[in-house]
Amino acid sequence: MASRRLAIAATAALIGTLGTAGCSASRGDSDSTSAVAGGAAPAGAGTAQRHTGRIGAPGIGDPDFPNDGNGGYDVGHYRLKIDYTPETKHLSGVAGIEAKATQDLERFNLDLSGFTVSRVTVNGAAARFARSADELIVTPARMISDKAAFTVEVTYAGEPKPVRDSSNLGTYGFIPTSDGAFVTCEPNGARTWFPGNDHPADKARYDFEVTVPEGVTALANGEMVGSPATSAGRTTYTWRETHPMASYLATVTMGRFELREGRTAAGIKNVAAVDPRYSGSLDNLYTLSGKITDYWSTVFGPYPFSSTGGVIDDFSAGYALENQTKPMYGGFTPGDDIIAHELAHQWFGDSMSIKRWKDLWLNEGFATYAEWLWSEHKGHASAEKIFRTHYSTSADAAMWKYAPGRAKPEDLFNDSVYTRGGMALQALRERIGDTAFFKLLKTWNAEHKYGYVTTEEFIALAERISGKQLDSLFEAWLFTPRKPTTW
Ligand code: ARG
Ligand code: ZN
Protein backbone atom coordinates (compact mmCIF):
# COMPACT_ATOMS: atom_id res chain seq x y z
CA MET A 1 0.00 0.00 0.00
CA ALA A 2 2.74 2.40 0.91
CA SER A 3 4.24 2.12 -2.54
CA ARG A 4 0.98 2.98 -4.25
CA ARG A 5 0.23 5.88 -1.94
CA LEU A 6 3.69 7.33 -2.49
CA ALA A 7 3.46 6.81 -6.19
CA ILE A 8 0.09 8.54 -6.39
CA ALA A 9 1.26 11.41 -4.23
CA ALA A 10 4.30 11.85 -6.43
CA THR A 11 2.16 11.92 -9.56
CA ALA A 12 -0.19 14.43 -8.03
CA ALA A 13 2.72 16.66 -7.09
CA LEU A 14 4.14 16.38 -10.58
CA ILE A 15 0.95 17.28 -12.35
CA GLY A 16 -0.04 19.86 -9.81
CA THR A 17 1.92 22.41 -11.79
CA LEU A 18 0.14 21.85 -15.07
CA GLY A 19 -2.69 24.29 -14.57
CA THR A 20 -6.33 23.98 -13.71
CA ALA A 21 -8.04 22.77 -16.88
CA GLY A 22 -8.96 19.35 -15.54
CA CYS A 23 -10.67 16.76 -17.67
CA SER A 24 -14.06 17.13 -16.07
CA ALA A 25 -13.96 20.87 -16.50
CA SER A 26 -13.21 20.65 -20.20
CA ARG A 27 -15.74 17.92 -20.69
CA GLY A 28 -18.38 20.20 -19.21
CA ASP A 29 -17.75 22.83 -21.87
CA SER A 30 -20.18 21.61 -24.43
CA ASP A 31 -20.57 23.99 -27.32
CA SER A 32 -23.89 25.46 -28.13
CA THR A 33 -24.24 25.13 -31.88
CA SER A 34 -27.75 24.30 -32.96
CA ALA A 35 -26.74 20.80 -33.98
CA VAL A 36 -26.08 19.89 -30.38
CA ALA A 37 -28.20 22.26 -28.33
CA GLY A 38 -30.48 19.58 -26.97
CA GLY A 39 -27.84 16.93 -26.70
CA ALA A 40 -25.49 19.06 -24.66
CA ALA A 41 -27.80 19.32 -21.65
CA PRO A 42 -26.74 17.40 -18.57
CA ALA A 43 -28.56 14.16 -17.91
CA GLY A 44 -31.78 14.77 -16.07
CA ALA A 45 -31.91 18.43 -17.01
CA GLY A 46 -34.86 17.64 -19.22
CA THR A 47 -33.86 19.96 -22.05
CA ALA A 48 -33.71 17.20 -24.62
CA GLN A 49 -36.90 15.67 -23.37
CA ARG A 50 -38.73 18.97 -23.77
CA HIS A 51 -37.88 19.03 -27.45
CA THR A 52 -39.03 15.62 -28.56
CA GLY A 53 -38.55 13.00 -25.86
CA ARG A 54 -36.62 11.08 -28.47
CA ILE A 55 -33.12 12.38 -27.91
CA GLY A 56 -30.70 10.32 -25.88
CA ALA A 57 -29.20 12.25 -22.98
CA PRO A 58 -25.48 13.12 -23.26
CA GLY A 59 -24.84 11.59 -19.82
CA ILE A 60 -25.92 8.33 -18.23
CA GLY A 61 -27.28 10.14 -15.18
CA ASP A 62 -24.35 10.20 -12.75
CA PRO A 63 -24.76 13.67 -11.21
CA ASP A 64 -21.05 13.88 -10.34
CA PHE A 65 -20.01 13.22 -13.96
CA PRO A 66 -22.90 14.66 -15.93
CA ASN A 67 -21.45 14.04 -19.39
CA ASP A 68 -20.04 10.57 -18.75
CA GLY A 69 -21.82 7.71 -20.44
CA ASN A 70 -25.02 8.44 -22.36
CA GLY A 71 -28.74 7.93 -22.01
CA GLY A 72 -31.29 6.11 -24.13
CA TYR A 73 -29.58 2.80 -24.78
CA ASP A 74 -27.66 -0.01 -23.23
CA VAL A 75 -24.61 -1.55 -24.92
CA GLY A 76 -24.37 -5.34 -24.96
CA HIS A 77 -21.24 -5.83 -27.03
CA TYR A 78 -18.30 -3.92 -28.46
CA ARG A 79 -16.24 -5.19 -31.40
CA LEU A 80 -13.16 -3.01 -31.49
CA LYS A 81 -10.77 -3.12 -34.41
CA ILE A 82 -7.73 -1.08 -33.56
CA ASP A 83 -4.71 -0.54 -35.78
CA TYR A 84 -1.85 1.26 -34.06
CA THR A 85 1.69 2.23 -35.01
CA PRO A 86 3.86 3.30 -32.06
CA GLU A 87 6.38 5.23 -34.23
CA THR A 88 3.77 7.57 -35.68
CA LYS A 89 1.22 7.29 -32.84
CA HIS A 90 -1.41 6.81 -35.48
CA LEU A 91 -4.50 4.85 -34.50
CA SER A 92 -7.22 3.88 -36.90
CA GLY A 93 -10.26 2.13 -35.56
CA VAL A 94 -13.58 0.63 -36.45
CA ALA A 95 -15.87 0.24 -33.46
CA GLY A 96 -18.88 -2.01 -33.80
CA ILE A 97 -21.45 -1.55 -31.07
CA GLU A 98 -24.48 -3.73 -30.40
CA ALA A 99 -27.00 -1.98 -28.20
CA LYS A 100 -30.61 -1.94 -27.15
CA ALA A 101 -32.67 1.25 -27.01
CA THR A 102 -34.29 2.16 -23.71
CA GLN A 103 -36.40 4.90 -25.32
CA ASP A 104 -37.26 6.02 -28.84
CA LEU A 105 -34.09 7.51 -30.33
CA GLU A 106 -34.01 10.06 -33.09
CA ARG A 107 -30.53 10.90 -31.92
CA PHE A 108 -28.07 9.56 -29.37
CA ASN A 109 -24.55 10.20 -28.15
CA LEU A 110 -21.38 8.18 -27.82
CA ASP A 111 -18.39 9.32 -25.77
CA LEU A 112 -15.25 9.89 -27.85
CA SER A 113 -12.42 12.31 -27.32
CA GLY A 114 -10.25 13.41 -30.20
CA PHE A 115 -9.88 11.60 -33.56
CA THR A 116 -11.47 12.35 -36.89
CA VAL A 117 -14.61 10.36 -37.46
CA SER A 118 -15.05 9.50 -41.13
CA ARG A 119 -18.17 7.40 -41.10
CA VAL A 120 -20.98 6.28 -38.80
CA THR A 121 -23.61 3.72 -39.70
CA VAL A 122 -26.64 2.62 -37.71
CA ASN A 123 -28.13 -0.74 -38.63
CA GLY A 124 -25.92 -0.65 -41.72
CA ALA A 125 -27.21 2.69 -43.04
CA ALA A 126 -25.09 5.84 -43.07
CA ALA A 127 -25.96 8.16 -40.20
CA ARG A 128 -25.38 11.87 -39.71
CA PHE A 129 -22.99 12.79 -36.94
CA ALA A 130 -21.57 15.82 -35.14
CA ARG A 131 -18.90 16.39 -32.51
CA SER A 132 -19.15 18.45 -29.35
CA ALA A 133 -16.46 18.34 -26.66
CA ASP A 134 -16.08 14.63 -25.88
CA GLU A 135 -19.39 13.64 -27.41
CA LEU A 136 -20.09 12.05 -30.78
CA ILE A 137 -23.71 12.85 -31.62
CA VAL A 138 -25.36 10.40 -33.99
CA THR A 139 -28.56 10.93 -35.94
CA PRO A 140 -29.60 7.67 -37.60
CA ALA A 141 -31.38 7.75 -40.95
CA ARG A 142 -34.40 6.18 -39.27
CA MET A 143 -35.55 6.58 -35.70
CA ILE A 144 -34.72 3.65 -33.41
CA SER A 145 -37.76 2.48 -31.45
CA ASP A 146 -37.75 1.93 -27.72
CA LYS A 147 -36.48 -1.58 -26.84
CA ALA A 148 -35.17 -2.23 -30.35
CA ALA A 149 -31.78 -3.83 -30.79
CA PHE A 150 -29.49 -1.80 -33.06
CA THR A 151 -25.92 -1.76 -34.28
CA VAL A 152 -23.60 1.17 -34.74
CA GLU A 153 -20.31 1.23 -36.59
CA VAL A 154 -17.91 4.13 -36.18
CA THR A 155 -14.81 4.54 -38.34
CA TYR A 156 -12.25 6.91 -36.86
CA ALA A 157 -8.55 7.74 -36.91
CA GLY A 158 -5.99 10.07 -35.40
CA GLU A 159 -3.45 10.39 -32.65
CA PRO A 160 -4.87 9.20 -29.32
CA LYS A 161 -4.47 11.75 -26.54
CA PRO A 162 -4.61 10.48 -22.97
CA VAL A 163 -6.37 12.54 -20.32
CA ARG A 164 -3.88 14.60 -18.30
CA ASP A 165 -5.75 15.57 -15.21
CA SER A 166 -4.39 18.34 -13.07
CA SER A 167 -6.11 17.37 -9.82
CA ASN A 168 -5.54 13.84 -8.58
CA LEU A 169 -6.13 11.52 -11.52
CA GLY A 170 -2.78 11.85 -13.26
CA THR A 171 -2.47 10.62 -16.84
CA TYR A 172 -4.91 7.95 -17.94
CA GLY A 173 -6.62 6.53 -21.00
CA PHE A 174 -4.66 5.44 -24.07
CA ILE A 175 -1.10 6.48 -23.18
CA PRO A 176 1.43 6.13 -26.02
CA THR A 177 4.79 4.68 -24.93
CA SER A 178 8.01 4.29 -26.95
CA ASP A 179 7.19 0.67 -27.86
CA GLY A 180 3.39 0.72 -27.80
CA ALA A 181 0.78 2.04 -25.39
CA PHE A 182 -0.22 1.67 -21.75
CA VAL A 183 -4.00 1.64 -21.68
CA THR A 184 -5.58 2.24 -18.26
CA CYS A 185 -8.81 4.19 -18.27
CA GLU A 186 -10.29 4.74 -14.83
CA PRO A 187 -12.47 6.68 -14.46
CA ASN A 188 -13.42 7.83 -17.95
CA GLY A 189 -10.53 7.34 -20.36
CA ALA A 190 -12.08 4.69 -22.61
CA ARG A 191 -13.21 7.60 -24.80
CA THR A 192 -9.55 8.28 -25.61
CA TRP A 193 -9.44 5.16 -27.80
CA PHE A 194 -12.96 4.04 -28.73
CA PRO A 195 -16.44 5.51 -28.99
CA GLY A 196 -18.86 4.06 -26.45
CA ASN A 197 -20.90 4.45 -23.32
CA ASP A 198 -18.04 5.41 -21.04
CA HIS A 199 -19.43 4.81 -17.56
CA PRO A 200 -19.36 1.68 -15.35
CA ALA A 201 -23.17 1.64 -15.21
CA ASP A 202 -23.24 0.15 -18.73
CA LYS A 203 -21.11 -2.98 -18.81
CA ALA A 204 -20.77 -5.00 -22.00
CA ARG A 205 -18.88 -7.87 -23.59
CA TYR A 206 -15.86 -7.10 -25.76
CA ASP A 207 -14.09 -8.47 -28.82
CA PHE A 208 -10.74 -6.91 -29.74
CA GLU A 209 -8.83 -7.15 -32.98
CA VAL A 210 -5.57 -5.28 -32.56
CA THR A 211 -3.08 -4.82 -35.38
CA VAL A 212 0.44 -3.64 -34.59
CA PRO A 213 3.87 -3.75 -36.23
CA GLU A 214 5.39 -7.21 -36.17
CA GLY A 215 7.35 -7.71 -32.94
CA VAL A 216 4.90 -5.73 -30.82
CA THR A 217 2.57 -7.70 -28.52
CA ALA A 218 -1.00 -6.55 -27.89
CA LEU A 219 -2.61 -7.56 -24.60
CA ALA A 220 -6.33 -7.14 -24.09
CA ASN A 221 -8.86 -8.47 -21.61
CA GLY A 222 -10.06 -12.05 -21.46
CA GLU A 223 -8.52 -14.66 -23.70
CA MET A 224 -6.64 -14.66 -26.95
CA VAL A 225 -8.65 -16.19 -29.78
CA GLY A 226 -6.58 -18.28 -32.19
CA SER A 227 -2.95 -17.29 -32.78
CA PRO A 228 -1.62 -13.91 -33.81
CA ALA A 229 -1.63 -13.56 -37.60
CA THR A 230 1.21 -11.73 -39.35
CA SER A 231 1.20 -10.41 -42.88
CA ALA A 232 3.20 -7.67 -44.56
CA GLY A 233 5.02 -6.84 -41.33
CA ARG A 234 1.91 -6.34 -39.22
CA THR A 235 0.48 -8.70 -36.63
CA THR A 236 -3.16 -8.96 -35.59
CA TYR A 237 -4.07 -10.17 -32.11
CA THR A 238 -7.63 -11.21 -31.36
CA TRP A 239 -8.88 -11.16 -27.77
CA ARG A 240 -12.29 -11.77 -26.26
CA GLU A 241 -13.78 -10.91 -22.89
CA THR A 242 -17.01 -12.86 -22.54
CA HIS A 243 -18.01 -11.47 -19.13
CA PRO A 244 -19.61 -8.07 -18.71
CA MET A 245 -16.95 -5.39 -18.32
CA ALA A 246 -16.98 -1.70 -17.41
CA SER A 247 -15.43 0.54 -20.07
CA TYR A 248 -12.65 1.78 -17.76
CA LEU A 249 -11.42 -1.81 -17.35
CA ALA A 250 -10.97 -2.40 -21.08
CA THR A 251 -7.37 -2.39 -22.31
CA VAL A 252 -5.25 -2.94 -25.42
CA THR A 253 -1.86 -2.45 -23.84
CA MET A 254 0.89 -2.91 -26.45
CA GLY A 255 4.63 -3.14 -26.46
CA ARG A 256 7.51 -5.51 -26.12
CA PHE A 257 6.69 -7.99 -23.39
CA GLU A 258 8.16 -11.08 -21.77
CA LEU A 259 5.39 -13.51 -20.97
CA ARG A 260 4.85 -16.37 -18.60
CA GLU A 261 1.72 -18.48 -18.85
CA GLY A 262 0.40 -21.41 -16.89
CA ARG A 263 -2.15 -22.21 -14.21
CA THR A 264 -2.54 -21.42 -10.55
CA ALA A 265 -2.42 -24.30 -8.05
CA ALA A 266 -6.24 -24.31 -8.10
CA GLY A 267 -6.23 -24.50 -11.91
CA ILE A 268 -7.04 -20.93 -12.99
CA LYS A 269 -5.25 -19.79 -16.14
CA ASN A 270 -2.52 -17.31 -15.20
CA VAL A 271 -0.78 -14.89 -17.61
CA ALA A 272 1.95 -12.50 -16.53
CA ALA A 273 3.65 -10.05 -18.89
CA VAL A 274 6.42 -7.56 -18.21
CA ASP A 275 8.23 -4.92 -20.19
CA PRO A 276 11.85 -6.14 -20.63
CA ARG A 277 12.92 -3.49 -18.12
CA TYR A 278 11.10 -5.57 -15.50
CA SER A 279 12.40 -9.01 -16.56
CA GLY A 280 13.50 -9.70 -13.03
CA SER A 281 9.95 -9.29 -11.74
CA LEU A 282 8.21 -11.68 -14.13
CA ASP A 283 8.39 -14.83 -12.03
CA ASN A 284 7.38 -13.12 -8.83
CA LEU A 285 4.44 -11.37 -10.52
CA TYR A 286 3.30 -14.68 -11.98
CA THR A 287 3.66 -16.70 -8.79
CA LEU A 288 2.22 -14.15 -6.41
CA SER A 289 -0.72 -13.34 -8.70
CA GLY A 290 -1.53 -17.04 -8.83
CA LYS A 291 -1.32 -17.56 -5.07
CA ILE A 292 -3.35 -14.48 -4.27
CA THR A 293 -6.04 -15.29 -6.85
CA ASP A 294 -6.42 -18.75 -5.32
CA TYR A 295 -6.60 -17.34 -1.81
CA TRP A 296 -9.21 -14.71 -2.71
CA SER A 297 -11.29 -17.47 -4.31
CA THR A 298 -11.56 -19.08 -0.89
CA VAL A 299 -12.41 -15.81 0.87
CA PHE A 300 -14.65 -13.98 -1.64
CA GLY A 301 -16.05 -16.89 -3.68
CA PRO A 302 -15.04 -18.48 -7.00
CA TYR A 303 -12.81 -16.41 -9.29
CA PRO A 304 -15.29 -14.66 -11.61
CA PHE A 305 -13.24 -14.59 -14.85
CA SER A 306 -11.48 -16.89 -17.29
CA SER A 307 -7.91 -16.02 -16.32
CA THR A 308 -5.83 -14.02 -13.86
CA GLY A 309 -2.37 -12.47 -13.99
CA GLY A 310 -0.84 -9.04 -14.37
CA VAL A 311 1.15 -6.73 -16.63
CA ILE A 312 4.07 -4.44 -15.75
CA ASP A 313 4.69 -1.79 -18.40
CA ASP A 314 7.37 0.89 -18.48
CA PHE A 315 5.08 3.91 -18.33
CA SER A 316 5.41 5.54 -14.90
CA ALA A 317 1.74 6.05 -14.25
CA GLY A 318 2.15 6.24 -10.50
CA TYR A 319 -0.76 3.84 -10.09
CA ALA A 320 -1.95 0.37 -10.94
CA LEU A 321 -5.32 -0.48 -12.45
CA GLU A 322 -7.47 -3.55 -11.99
CA ASN A 323 -8.12 -4.13 -15.72
CA GLN A 324 -10.43 -7.13 -15.95
CA THR A 325 -8.35 -10.37 -16.00
CA LYS A 326 -5.15 -8.30 -16.43
CA PRO A 327 -4.23 -5.82 -13.72
CA MET A 328 -1.71 -3.28 -15.02
CA TYR A 329 1.19 -1.88 -13.02
CA GLY A 330 2.47 1.41 -14.39
CA GLY A 331 6.23 1.55 -14.17
CA PHE A 332 7.02 -0.21 -10.91
CA THR A 333 7.47 -3.69 -9.49
CA PRO A 334 4.38 -4.38 -7.42
CA GLY A 335 4.69 -5.89 -3.96
CA ASP A 336 2.30 -8.24 -2.18
CA ASP A 337 0.03 -5.46 -1.01
CA ILE A 338 -0.71 -3.92 -4.38
CA ILE A 339 -1.07 -7.28 -6.15
CA ALA A 340 -3.50 -8.34 -3.41
CA HIS A 341 -5.31 -5.04 -3.97
CA GLU A 342 -5.66 -5.25 -7.76
CA LEU A 343 -6.69 -8.90 -7.67
CA ALA A 344 -9.31 -8.23 -4.97
CA HIS A 345 -10.77 -5.70 -7.43
CA GLN A 346 -11.55 -8.57 -9.81
CA TRP A 347 -14.37 -9.30 -7.35
CA PHE A 348 -14.90 -5.78 -5.98
CA GLY A 349 -15.17 -3.41 -8.91
CA ASP A 350 -14.90 -5.74 -11.89
CA SER A 351 -17.38 -8.56 -11.28
CA MET A 352 -19.47 -6.22 -9.11
CA SER A 353 -19.46 -2.68 -10.46
CA ILE A 354 -20.59 0.62 -9.08
CA LYS A 355 -23.46 2.48 -10.73
CA ARG A 356 -22.29 5.85 -9.47
CA TRP A 357 -18.77 7.09 -8.79
CA LYS A 358 -19.78 8.32 -5.35
CA ASP A 359 -19.85 4.65 -4.27
CA LEU A 360 -16.16 4.15 -5.15
CA TRP A 361 -15.35 2.97 -1.61
CA LEU A 362 -17.16 -0.27 -2.61
CA ASN A 363 -14.15 -0.82 -4.89
CA GLU A 364 -11.28 0.89 -3.10
CA GLY A 365 -12.24 0.36 0.53
CA PHE A 366 -12.69 -3.36 -0.12
CA ALA A 367 -9.47 -3.70 -2.15
CA THR A 368 -7.56 -1.86 0.60
CA TYR A 369 -9.11 -4.09 3.24
CA ALA A 370 -8.01 -7.06 1.12
CA GLU A 371 -4.39 -5.87 1.47
CA TRP A 372 -4.84 -6.13 5.23
CA LEU A 373 -6.47 -9.57 4.93
CA TRP A 374 -3.50 -10.76 2.88
CA SER A 375 -1.09 -9.43 5.50
CA GLU A 376 -3.09 -11.23 8.19
CA HIS A 377 -3.14 -14.43 6.11
CA LYS A 378 0.63 -14.28 5.69
CA GLY A 379 1.11 -14.02 9.46
CA HIS A 380 2.21 -10.38 9.26
CA ALA A 381 0.23 -7.54 10.85
CA SER A 382 -3.45 -8.39 11.34
CA ALA A 383 -6.19 -6.27 9.83
CA GLU A 384 -7.04 -5.17 13.35
CA LYS A 385 -3.49 -4.03 13.98
CA ILE A 386 -3.34 -2.10 10.70
CA PHE A 387 -6.69 -0.55 11.53
CA ARG A 388 -5.34 0.55 14.95
CA THR A 389 -2.33 2.17 13.36
CA HIS A 390 -4.51 4.23 11.03
CA TYR A 391 -6.95 4.98 13.82
CA SER A 392 -4.19 6.45 15.94
CA THR A 393 -3.76 9.39 13.54
CA SER A 394 -4.80 12.70 14.98
CA ALA A 395 -8.43 13.80 14.65
CA ASP A 396 -7.20 16.70 12.49
CA ALA A 397 -5.79 14.40 9.82
CA ALA A 398 -7.24 14.99 6.34
CA MET A 399 -8.73 11.50 6.16
CA TRP A 400 -11.27 12.27 8.87
CA LYS A 401 -12.55 15.35 7.03
CA TYR A 402 -13.42 13.37 3.93
CA ALA A 403 -16.44 11.04 4.21
CA PRO A 404 -15.44 8.00 2.14
CA GLY A 405 -18.98 6.79 1.47
CA ARG A 406 -19.48 9.71 -0.84
CA ALA A 407 -16.45 10.01 -3.10
CA LYS A 408 -16.00 13.56 -4.39
CA PRO A 409 -15.76 13.93 -8.17
CA GLU A 410 -12.88 16.42 -7.86
CA ASP A 411 -10.97 14.12 -5.49
CA LEU A 412 -12.17 10.64 -6.39
CA PHE A 413 -9.15 8.62 -5.29
CA ASN A 414 -8.66 10.38 -1.98
CA ASP A 415 -6.84 8.31 0.63
CA SER A 416 -10.01 8.30 2.74
CA VAL A 417 -11.89 6.33 0.07
CA TYR A 418 -9.14 3.70 0.34
CA THR A 419 -7.98 3.68 3.95
CA ARG A 420 -11.02 4.93 5.82
CA GLY A 421 -13.16 2.79 3.50
CA GLY A 422 -11.08 -0.21 4.55
CA MET A 423 -11.35 0.84 8.20
CA ALA A 424 -15.15 0.90 7.89
CA LEU A 425 -14.95 -2.81 7.03
CA GLN A 426 -12.73 -3.60 10.03
CA ALA A 427 -15.15 -1.67 12.28
CA LEU A 428 -17.98 -3.71 10.78
CA ARG A 429 -16.07 -6.95 11.31
CA GLU A 430 -15.51 -6.11 14.97
CA ARG A 431 -19.17 -5.24 15.39
CA ILE A 432 -20.75 -8.30 13.71
CA GLY A 433 -18.02 -10.91 14.31
CA ASP A 434 -15.88 -12.93 11.92
CA THR A 435 -18.53 -15.51 11.00
CA ALA A 436 -21.11 -12.98 9.83
CA PHE A 437 -18.45 -10.75 8.29
CA PHE A 438 -16.92 -13.39 6.04
CA LYS A 439 -20.34 -14.77 5.17
CA LEU A 440 -21.26 -11.24 4.15
CA LEU A 441 -18.25 -10.93 1.82
CA LYS A 442 -19.18 -14.16 0.03
CA THR A 443 -22.91 -13.46 -0.11
CA TRP A 444 -22.29 -9.93 -1.43
CA ASN A 445 -20.27 -11.41 -4.30
CA ALA A 446 -22.65 -14.28 -4.99
CA GLU A 447 -25.73 -12.05 -5.11
CA HIS A 448 -24.20 -9.46 -7.43
CA LYS A 449 -21.83 -11.47 -9.60
CA TYR A 450 -21.32 -9.61 -12.94
CA GLY A 451 -23.83 -6.99 -11.81
CA TYR A 452 -24.04 -3.55 -10.23
CA VAL A 453 -23.98 -2.50 -6.59
CA THR A 454 -24.76 0.47 -4.36
CA THR A 455 -23.71 1.36 -0.81
CA GLU A 456 -27.34 1.13 0.35
CA GLU A 457 -27.50 -2.48 -0.86
CA PHE A 458 -24.33 -3.33 1.04
CA ILE A 459 -25.63 -1.84 4.27
CA ALA A 460 -28.95 -3.68 3.85
CA LEU A 461 -27.15 -7.00 3.29
CA ALA A 462 -24.84 -6.43 6.28
CA GLU A 463 -27.91 -5.87 8.45
CA ARG A 464 -29.70 -8.90 7.01
CA ILE A 465 -26.77 -11.25 7.57
CA SER A 466 -25.79 -9.96 11.00
CA GLY A 467 -29.32 -9.32 12.28
CA LYS A 468 -27.97 -6.03 13.68
CA GLN A 469 -28.98 -2.41 13.17
CA LEU A 470 -25.91 -0.85 11.60
CA ASP A 471 -27.04 2.63 10.56
CA SER A 472 -25.00 4.47 13.14
CA LEU A 473 -21.84 2.49 12.35
CA PHE A 474 -22.02 3.27 8.65
CA GLU A 475 -23.11 6.83 9.32
CA ALA A 476 -20.01 7.39 11.45
CA TRP A 477 -17.55 5.56 9.20
CA LEU A 478 -18.82 6.41 5.73
CA PHE A 479 -20.83 9.58 5.85
CA THR A 480 -19.49 11.83 8.62
CA PRO A 481 -16.55 14.18 7.96
CA ARG A 482 -15.17 13.56 11.44
CA LYS A 483 -13.14 10.86 13.19
CA PRO A 484 -15.54 8.14 14.43
CA THR A 485 -15.41 7.38 18.14
CA THR A 486 -17.73 4.38 18.43
CA TRP A 487 -18.63 1.35 16.32
N1 ARG B 1 -8.34 1.76 -9.18
C1 ARG B 1 -6.92 1.97 -9.16
C2 ARG B 1 -6.41 1.30 -7.90
O1 ARG B 1 -6.93 1.46 -6.87
C3 ARG B 1 -6.55 3.41 -9.16
C4 ARG B 1 -6.79 4.09 -10.46
C5 ARG B 1 -6.33 5.50 -10.42
N2 ARG B 1 -6.66 6.15 -11.64
C6 ARG B 1 -6.12 7.30 -12.00
N3 ARG B 1 -6.50 7.84 -13.14
N4 ARG B 1 -5.23 7.86 -11.24
O2 ARG B 1 -5.50 0.57 -7.90
ZN1 ZN C 1 -7.92 0.09 -6.07
Side-chain angles (χ1 to χ4, degrees), residues 103-445:
Q103 64 174 73
D104 286 347
L105 286 174
E106 278 173 3
R107 192 171 93 196
F108 61 88
N109 285 21
L110 293 166
D111 301 307
L112 180 68
S113 97
F115 300 106
T116 301
V117 173
S118 55
R119 182 173 163 81
V120 178
T121 65
V122 176
N123 292 329
R128 287 196 294 135
F129 59 92
R131 304 296 301 274
S132 168
D134 289 347
E135 302 284 334
L136 169 62
I137 302 150
V138 179
T139 307
R142 296 190 45 187
M143 189 191 82
I144 301 161
S145 301
D146 185 19
K147 300 191 175 55
F150 64 102
T151 59
V152 186
E153 194 174 275
V154 179
T155 307
Y156 60 106
E159 181 181 325
K161 294 274 166 46
V163 182
R164 293 175 206 279
D165 180 63
S166 58
S167 53
N168 68 348
L169 297 174
T171 300
Y172 64 99
F174 188 106
I175 306 166
T177 60
S178 58
D179 61 356
F182 182 64
V183 184
T184 50
C185 299
E186 193 180 20
N188 49 22
R191 70 192 62 199
T192 66
W193 61 283
F194 68 93
N197 203 13
D198 194 7
H199 190 283
D202 186 4
K203 301 206 278 188
R205 293 166 175 81
Y206 286 72
D207 275 279
F208 305 91
E209 210 182 287
V210 191
T211 302
V212 287
E214 190 174 358
V216 175
T217 300
L219 302 166
N221 313 85
E223 305 313 313
M224 203 187 281
V225 181
S227 324
T230 301
S231 87
R234 297 189 75 77
T235 305
T236 299
Y237 294 81
T238 306
W239 290 86
R240 178 171 294 156
E241 173 53 65
T242 57
H243 300 101
M245 178 165 74
S247 52
Y248 74 86
L249 298 170
T251 191
V252 284
T253 288
M254 313 160 190
R256 292 197 304 129
F257 286 106
E258 291 172 11
L259 272 89
R260 182 164 167 198
E261 284 189 47
R263 291 197 177 265
T264 70
I268 299 164
K269 188 171 174 194
N270 185 9
V271 181
V274 300
D275 181 279
R277 238 171 83 183
Y278 295 91
S279 288
S281 302
L282 179 61
D283 285 343
N284 190 51
L285 175 68
Y286 174 85
T287 307
L288 211 43
S289 298
K291 282 189 181 152
I292 293 172
T293 302
D294 284 349
Y295 182 59
W296 288 158
S297 307
T298 71
V299 180
F300 306 142
Y303 184 66
F305 304 120
S306 51
S307 64
T308 186
V311 178
I312 310 177
D313 203 354
D314 67 347
F315 175 75
S316 296
Y319 58 82
L321 182 66
E322 61 267 24
N323 298 82
Q324 195 155 307
T325 70
K326 286 180 188 62
M328 305 261 158
Y329 304 94
F332 61 94
T333 294
D336 275 54
D337 46 10
I338 196 154
I339 296 177
H341 180 112
E342 304 311 329
L343 289 171
H345 273 310
Q346 302 302 308
W347 285 260
F348 303 98
D350 295 9
S351 169
M352 295 187 285
S353 302
I354 52 175
K355 273 188 197 148
R356 298 293 176 254
W357 286 109
K358 70 177 168 65
D359 286 330
L360 188 61
W361 86 281
L362 290 174
N363 296 1
E364 302 305 346
F366 283 70
T368 301
Y369 193 68
E371 297 175 30
W372 307 350
L373 287 177
W374 180 252
S375 166
E376 186 167 306
H377 170 67
K378 294 297 286 177
H380 304 140
S382 67
E384 188 194 349
K385 176 140 194 271
I386 298 170
F387 170 96
R388 300 267 157 223
T389 306
H390 290 299
Y391 191 73
S392 70
T393 56
S394 133
D396 308 324
M399 182 169 68
W400 306 120
K401 300 197 172 82
Y402 186 119
R406 212 234 164 280
K408 299 179 202 287
E410 72 283 5
D411 192 9
L412 215 45
F413 296 99
N414 186 283
D415 186 44
S416 173
V417 174
Y418 287 73
T419 305
R420 196 172 153 186
M423 293 177 78
L425 293 171
Q426 177 62 24
L428 176 65
R429 179 176 168 186
E430 291 176 14
R431 174 74 188 279
I432 68 178
D434 277 15
T435 308
F437 180 76
F438 287 102
K439 182 174 173 203
L440 171 61
L441 293 186
K442 278 201 169 123
T443 309
W444 179 236
N445 273 285

Side-chain angles (χ1 to χ4, degrees), residues 25-45:
S26 55
R27 261 184 296 109
D29 294 332
S30 36
D31 77 39
S32 53
T33 63
S34 60
V36 296

